[in-house]
Amino acid sequence: VSELADLYAVQLSDIAIAQSKHRLSHLPEIELHTSTKNDVAAITKSLAETVARGASAKKEINELEAAGHANDAAIARLNKQLKTVIAPREAEALQHEIATCSQQRSQLDDRELELMELVDLCDREEAQVSSQLAHAKQLDAAAAEKLAVAQREENQSLERLVQQRSAQALVVPASLLNTYEAKRKHRPDGAIAKLSGPTCGACHLDIAQGEISALRALPETERPECPHCGCFIFFEVGY
Ligand SMILES: [Zn+2]
């Protein structure tokens, strides 16, 4: 009977260990940290997009400026040519060409203005998103720290339980412990149970009074088991 009392203590520790492990993998701090990590990733991505948009606009501005210089040179060349031609038809053709180039130049300028506004917008957005990112990183660091603390605490309590379980198991005969482990595979929290009145604490079925008396009367060498679920029945002293 005292062996079963010791075994019952082992099972209490095993249940507490399982609960502690479950808590470890379901800490609310895990979800919080995942959420702050996702925020940092999303804002980092958005910042990269803004920077890329600004860079691409700046690149296009450089290209437009090169095109503008080429355009200016073409207009200058055409104007110079215009001074040398005498035939009105040729002059008209050159004037037409100059007008086309000027129109192109004005389109280039309009586009460049548009792009400069875009660059300005991107710069402002970059500053704003950068400060958002800094804030998100702070929250993420705080969440990581909180998670580490919670994990450390739960791990410490788990370690204490594991040590306690080892000490408790030392006084239980190895063969009984093996049988218990085998029973636990089917019933993790009810390999050994107390009776609550006539009710088995593991399967919650009632055991007939006659059977209970027979179980109580078993010799020391035989261990009482629930006739329904097969768990060990542990009769507390005085019951
Ligand atoms: Zn039972």
Side-chain angles (χ1 to χ4, degrees), residues 92-111:
E92 207 179 305
L94 279 172
Q95 272 162 348
H96 181 71
E97 221 176 316
I98 289 168
T100 306
C101 277
S102 300
Q103 204 186 349
Q104 275 171 0
R105 177 71 225 226
S106 145
Q107 280 168 353
L108 292 175
D109 286 347
D110 287 351
R111 176 66 183 148

Side-chain angles (χ1 to χ4, degrees), residues 166-208:
S166 303
Q168 288 166 332
L170 280 179
V171 297
V172 178
S175 66
L176 177 58
L177 211 53
N178 287 340
T179 314
Y180 160 79
E181 297 289 3
K183 285 183 192 289
R184 257 200 121 227
K185 281 180 188 146
H186 307 290
R187 226 170 246 283
D189 296 345
I192 172 165
K194 293 181 189 174
L195 286 184
S196 167
T199 311
C200 166
C203 68
H204 305 293
L205 294 175
D206 286 353
I207 304 175

Side-chain angles (χ1 to χ4, degrees), residues 200 202-204 226 228-231:
C200 166
C203 68
H204 305 293
C226 168
H228 305 299
C229 69
C231 75

Side-chain angles (χ1 to χ4, degrees), residues 219-230:
E220 191 86 25
T221 49
E222 283 182 58
R223 295 174 182 125
E225 289 181 356
C226 168
H228 305 299
C229 69

